[in-house]
Amino acid sequence: MSSSSTIVTAGLTKHYGDVKAVVDLDLAIDAGEVFGFLGPNGSGKTTTIRTMLDLIRPTAGTASILGLDSHRDAVEIRQHIGYVPGELALYRNLTGKELITYFANLRGGVDWTRVNLLAERLDAVLDKKVGELSTGNRQKVALVQAFMSKPSVLVLDEPSIGLDPLVQQQFQAIIREAAEEGATVFLSSHTLSEVERVASRVGIIRTGRLIVVETMEALKEKAVRTVTMQFDQPVGEAEFAAVAGVRDASVDGTQATVAVEGSMAQLLQLASSLGVVEMSSNESDLEEIFLTYYREDAAQ
Amino acid sequence: MLLNSVYTKTLRDRWLGVAIGTLSIGLMVAMGVATYRSLDEVIAELIRSYPEALLSMLGATPELLAGGATRFVLAEMTNFLAPLVLAGIAISVGTSTIAGEERLGTLGLLLANPRSRTAVLMSKLASLVTLMVLGGLLMWGATEAGAAAAGVASGTARVGAASVHVAAAALSFGALSLCIGAWTGNATAATGITTGALIVSFLGAGLFPLIEGAADVARIFPWYYIAAAEPLQHGVDWGHVAILLAASSILSGLAVVGVNRRDLRSGAAATLLDQLRRSARLARLSELISGRAQVANTAARTFSESRGVAVIVAYVMFLTALLIGLLFNALSDTLGNFADAIPEALVALFGDGDVSTPEGWYQLEVFSFVVPGGMIVVAIMMGARAIGGEQDNSTMDLLLANPITRPRLVAEKGIAMVLAMLVLGVTAFAGTIAGSLLGGLGMSAANVAAASAQSAALAVVFGAATMLAGAATGRSRPAALAGAAIALAAYVANSFLRVDPRVADWARLSPFNYYMDNDALVNGISWANVGVLAAAAVVLLVLCAIVFERRDVRS
């Protein structure tokens, strides 16, 4: 967190009557960072985003983007923002091209070479009326309009809904390129694998409260891997259970299966000393971590 | 066969609209009766001298009016305003039955249940019938209560009987919109065509009886059966009611056939214009009507989005204005008797014109209802879509993620509305001038332009009020209802208040006063009146910007 962060919220709070949609949210996201914003349905993700964009006003606290106040300097902020709303609705009577021209005119022009390039990469249909497009194809039009002005801040609320896996891949590449060029990406998503692939840091929000902000590396360190080992002789369960980071161990004769969190160095040492002949490990399961955070907090 | 849940859901969604509509009628009756009470003498004089033809157009006969002021107000309510209100609700319910659910994308889910299309349609039709029965009863009760509140009893007037006719006529319009929706799956077409039919029906039922030898043509219009048998005087004419019910049944039967023989849509249907566009032969025509979407800025986009409806309204307006010019000569003998017959006081209702002159005739037939009415409908529609509609459609989020301030958005939407009203004003002008030229009436072009411009200014005021309601609620439907209620109340208030010198000053609160009181067709433009209307519109738009600026955008 630094004072020159691109997106900063301080004590951001939004109540709807008695319902506390967002409570005391403190965030700081730096330039060039892809920030994954996660949380269950109704946790306050979209409310946070809509407050940052001045579509709704905070009950307390502030949000600033590029050092500008989200309410006072809303119009100036929007010069620099590309946005994909969570509940996407486009003007159905316009073609994709007309829609993009319209938004481009509101922004004072557009680089059509870039639009065409984006449309090509995402396989977006721009010559049909938006109302005639499928959900996925509408989403592509929304993505083109969000990225077309090379914005320095991208606010993406569930941006990959309806996209096929190939287009998802392209979209993730576009996000990474934007970040490499210095853009800040605020990515709210339920597609955990997507967040895992593109985000450098994630925040998890639940019932309006931010419960954790971690870098992806730190989360991966916490991730639990399941390791299965085959030995040349029977081994004891207690030896594995005693290793630092091992959460769970079970032994069946010459085969041991352990769940380990963080570094595997000690486990490998032990396995080697016991005469391991074969070893397999699954990928660290970030999804499980995310879900644990969801559940842990739910239980509180 | 009747699906209880479908039936009760429709009732639950709609009963409030029916209640508010009929309650408004009661309030207007109270206001009207209170104002007219002092005018019994004037009314009596009127009845002695009023030509039968004009009274027939108003749906009131001398016989009926023998009851005096109360009867006159009741006749106006039951023959004109109440059918308009109830038919409007019926059209809305009829459209939503099939086409509306397709537009929302909910029909697929509904029909994923083990129920037939026919069962769903019939259940919704049953709720439409129930709502119309309820509407009729409430209208009866509200009208009686309104009259009683004003200190008079409705006397021997048979308001209940008139309510039966009104409800049956409204049902037939509801069945028509249901039928069109069932065949096309296009909610816009269902509402648009039925509303057009309603207007044509009103004009046809009123005008054909005036034309010698063509009086029976009026019988093809449902509106004719509302008042032709004078139910207020003679009680229910079951023959006429049966005709309306038979028409409703036939239309419902056709709806069942229609909905069962086509693919259902999911999500917004292509508009009628889109469908025309797909036909190569008609593509050019539809392009001509709707034009290309304009995306230069928000004002241009808003204007182009409303062009389809505006063109249709303009077309109706132009034709009416043209035909009325030709009719003047055909009817001039009858109209000649009007000049001395109508007391000053009552003429106020229809504009201060002498209907034996072309200007007075146009004022009554075109500029008292069709032109301002058409413009106000388009203005209210645009006003409702402007701020409320963009939030209903969830497009406001993306729009406001662009570098545009909310006040600028309000201003651009306002400009689009003014532009649309100017186009309609030019059309009304052109139609009237064409009618005047073809009929050899020699009306002043400057004065016709003045009346058209004042009507446009009037409509902008109601459009702006609707926009303000949309900004306050974040929804288009309550905004449109508020706009329509304000316009209707302003019209009725102006008409009734102007008649009684003791309260005439209060009419100045109504925007209609600034449209009608200078009688632009005769006296030319009143810049003061235009100024008042323009100032009111600007104030409403500024308020709209302030309110919208302070609100959270609804998602």
Side-chain angles (χ1 to χ4, degrees):
Chain A
M1 191 183 291
S2 73
S3 59
S4 61
S5 297
T6 309
I7 299 175
V8 179
T9 68
L12 193 70
T13 301
K14 179 68 183 177
H15 294 176
Y16 292 104
D18 291 338
V19 179
K20 295 172 178 168
V22 173
V23 184
D24 218 9
L25 189 84
D26 293 316
L27 269 181
I29 302 160
D30 292 334
E33 189 175 4
V34 179
F35 186 82
F37 197 45
L38 306 172
N41 295 329
S43 56
K45 299 188 296 294
T46 298
T47 302
T48 306
I49 287 174
R50 296 183 83 234
T51 312
M52 284 173 7
L53 290 172
D54 191 44
L55 295 168
I56 54 179
R57 277 62 188 264
T59 309
T62 57
S64 72
I65 294 178
L66 298 165
L68 301 162
D69 181 77
S70 70
H71 176 51
R72 200 181 53 240
D73 309 312
V75 174
E76 199 183 336
I77 286 176
R78 291 182 206 142
Q79 290 279 9
H80 308 286
I81 279 192
Y83 173 50
V84 175
E87 196 180 316
L88 179 64
L90 302 170
Y91 300 105
R92 309 179 70 97
N93 61 321
L94 302 183
T95 64
K97 194 170 179 186
E98 286 168 342
L99 188 106
I100 281 168
T101 309
Y102 174 56
F103 286 132
N105 286 341
L106 292 179
R107 290 181 172 274
V110 64
D111 174 3
W112 279 99
T113 318
R114 179 160 172 82
V115 169
N116 292 332
L117 186 70
L118 285 166
E120 199 179 315
R121 288 183 71 178
L122 293 168
D123 196 21
V125 181
L126 298 184
D127 56 357
K128 271 193 170 177
K129 285 200 170 191
V130 169
E132 295 169 7
L133 297 178
S134 68
T135 309
N137 279 324
R138 272 204 297 274
Q139 197 70 19
K140 292 177 197 171
V141 175
L143 293 178
V144 172
Q145 69 80 33
F147 283 87
M148 67 182 179
S149 60
K150 285 206 167 192
S152 44
V153 180
L154 280 148
V155 180
L156 311 173
D157 194 357
E158 301 291 348
S160 50
I161 285 178
L163 300 181
D164 67 48
L166 280 177
V167 177
Q168 279 188 28
Q169 240 175 24
Q170 268 301 328
F171 167 58
Q172 288 159 13
I174 292 170
I175 290 184
R176 276 192 291 265
E177 288 162 20
E180 279 161 18
E181 287 168 20
T184 306
V185 183
F186 190 89
L187 171 67
S188 164
S189 177
H190 282 304
T191 314
L192 301 176
S193 57
E194 177 176 274
V195 175
E196 189 178 340
R197 271 183 220 127
V198 297
S200 45
R201 210 152 56 101
V202 297
I204 297 176
I205 184 174
R206 193 177 164 96
T207 56
R209 292 171 197 275
L210 196 62
I211 51 175
V212 68
V213 178
E214 290 271 21
T215 62
M216 204 51 96
E217 286 77 27
L219 275 182
K220 279 183 178 164
E221 291 227 328
K222 288 185 181 176
V224 176
R225 294 159 198 266
T226 306
V227 182
T228 307
M229 293 160 284
Q230 191 69 45
F231 295 92
D232 52 12
Q233 56 185 340
V235 289
E237 198 173 291
E239 288 170 279
F240 292 101
V243 174
V246 168
R247 290 269 169 271
D248 189 25
S250 65
V251 170
D252 181 11
T254 58
Q255 183 175 303
T257 306
V258 298
V260 60
E261 180 190 312
S263 168
M264 299 220 315
Q266 278 196 38
L267 179 68
L268 291 174
Q269 234 171 10
L270 174 69
S272 173
S273 69
L274 293 175
V276 65
V277 291
E278 200 179 311
M279 188 174 201
S280 64
S281 162
N282 68 353
E283 285 288 303
S284 59
D285 195 353
L286 265 184
E287 188 157 322
E288 194 49 45
I289 288 264
F290 294 142
L291 296 180
T292 307
Y293 274 115
Y294 287 18
R295 287 193 210 106
E296 270 176 5
D297 201 71
Q300 281 168 16
Chain B
M1 176 115 164
L2 192 70
L3 309 177
N4 208 18
S5 53
V6 174
Y7 172 76
T8 47
K9 179 181 179 300
T10 311
L11 285 188
R12 201 182 58 217
D13 289 347
R14 298 292 185 160
W15 73 270
L16 191 62
V18 174
I20 291 173
T22 44
L23 191 67
S24 314
I25 295 171
L27 281 173
M28 283 186 266
V29 168
M31 198 159 70
V33 171
T35 314
Y36 271 73
R37 263 171 75 192
S38 59
L39 299 172
D40 260 356
E41 271 309 299
V42 182
I43 299 278
E45 184 203 328
L46 169 82
I47 291 155
R48 281 194 293 276
S49 55
Y50 222 69
E52 198 175 336
L54 182 64
L55 286 168
S56 123
M57 256 209 69
L58 300 173
T61 60
E63 196 187 5
L64 174 77
L65 294 172
T70 312
R71 282 294 180 84
F72 185 82
V73 173
L74 291 178
E76 283 306 293
M77 287 299 149
T78 55
N79 299 345
F80 177 60
L81 281 174
L84 212 57
V85 170
L86 221 53
I89 293 169
I91 291 171
S92 166
V93 176
T95 297
S96 69
T97 299
I98 298 294
E101 287 236 22
E102 285 181 82
R103 178 163 62 185
L104 292 173
T106 49
L107 192 61
L109 195 57
L110 183 58
L111 287 175
N113 293 291
R115 295 288 181 248
S116 70
R117 295 181 185 187
T118 306
V120 168
L121 188 142
M122 293 309 284
S123 307
K124 290 191 164 219
L125 178 66
S127 42
L128 173 63
V129 173
T130 309
L131 285 167
M132 289 305 106
V133 171
L134 177 73
L137 285 171
L138 285 175
M139 175 191 144
W140 183 9
T143 307
E144 296 278 8
V152 294
S154 61
T156 53
R158 300 164 89 161
V159 179
S163 304
V164 172
H165 282 251
V166 170
L171 179 64
S172 68
F173 287 109
L176 177 60
S177 66
L178 187 156
C179 183
I180 296 169
W183 276 85
T184 64
N186 188 325
T188 314
T191 305
I193 294 173
T194 313
T195 306
L198 179 81
I199 295 166
V200 170
S201 174
F202 165 70
L203 290 174
L207 286 176
F208 278 105
L210 290 176
I211 303 168
E212 207 167 319
D216 279 349
V217 179
R219 289 172 179 272
I220 64 169
F221 301 107
W223 198 282
Y224 172 83
Y225 298 97
I226 295 173
E230 297 170 31
L232 208 52
Q233 183 73 8
H234 305 303
V236 178
D237 180 322
W238 291 109
H240 281 190
V241 172
I243 289 171
L244 291 169
L245 294 181
S248 304
S249 305
I250 291 167
L251 288 166
S252 305
L254 286 173
V256 170
V257 175
V259 78
N260 278 302
R261 66 185 299 279
R262 69 175 173 87
D263 293 346
L264 295 179
R265 296 172 190 281
S266 177
T271 64
L272 192 63
L273 289 170
D274 289 335
Q275 288 176 358
L276 290 176
R277 216 175 268 133
R278 283 196 198 114
S279 145
R281 218 177 303 161
L282 295 171
R284 286 192 60 181
L285 175 69
S286 72
E287 195 76 6
L288 202 67
I289 292 176
S290 68
R292 288 192 61 78
Q294 298 297 319
V295 290
N297 50 48
T298 302
R301 179 178 64 77
T302 308
F303 180 72
S304 72
E305 271 176 4
S306 304
R307 199 163 34 197
V309 177
V311 165
I312 291 166
V313 170
Y315 180 70
V316 171
M317 220 180 244
F318 182 87
L319 273 190
T320 310
L322 185 77
L323 289 175
I324 289 299
L326 298 175
L327 266 181
F328 181 78
N329 289 327
L331 299 172
S332 57
D333 289 346
T334 325
L335 295 170
N337 303 327
F338 283 19
D340 308 318
I342 306 174
E344 279 292 310
L346 205 78
V347 167
L349 247 182
F350 317 107
D352 305 328
D354 168 354
V355 290
S356 66
T357 65
E359 286 78 12
W361 173 240
Y362 260 100
Q363 181 62 44
L364 170 67
E365 291 298 334
V366 179
F367 283 89
S368 69
F369 182 64
V370 177
V371 166
M375 286 182 174
I376 288 168
V377 165
V378 177
I380 287 177
M381 198 194 74
M382 291 182 80
R385 280 184 182 174
I387 307 294
E390 292 246 21
Q391 290 178 74
D392 280 345
N393 298 334
S394 300
T395 47
M396 189 63 94
D397 271 29
L398 200 51
L399 179 56
L400 282 181
N402 289 286
I404 172 174
T405 63
R406 297 188 191 187
R408 185 180 137 197
L409 189 68
V410 169
E412 292 208 25
K413 297 268 183 184
I415 288 168
M417 195 195 298
V418 171
L419 280 177
M421 291 310 114
L422 283 178
V423 169
L424 290 179
V426 169
T427 314
F429 168 79
T432 306
I433 290 299
S436 169
L437 285 175
L438 289 175
L441 308 183
M443 290 170 70
S444 150
N447 291 357
V448 174
S452 306
Q454 281 187 232
S455 177
L458 174 76
V460 172
V461 172
F462 294 118
T466 311
M467 251 171 95
L468 172 58
T473 59
R475 291 175 164 82
S476 62
R477 209 158 136 176
L481 276 176
I486 292 168
L488 203 60
Y491 178 72
V492 172
N494 179 59
S495 303
F496 287 155
L497 295 175
R498 292 174 87 200
V499 180
D500 186 346
R502 292 171 307 170
V503 289
D505 277 353
W506 288 98
R508 292 183 188 187
L509 288 175
S510 167
F512 272 96
N513 178 65
Y514 302 94
Y515 166 59
M516 292 181 86
D517 85 332
N518 61 310
D519 200 3
L521 281 180
V522 176
N523 303 316
I525 201 155
S526 159
W527 288 110
N529 282 0
V530 173
V532 170
L533 292 173
V538 169
V539 167
L540 287 166
L541 287 176
V542 168
L543 278 175
C544 176
I546 292 171
V547 169
F548 186 37
E549 181 65 32
R550 287 166 185 227
R551 268 186 62 89
D552 286 350
V553 173
R554 200 169 64 83
S555 74

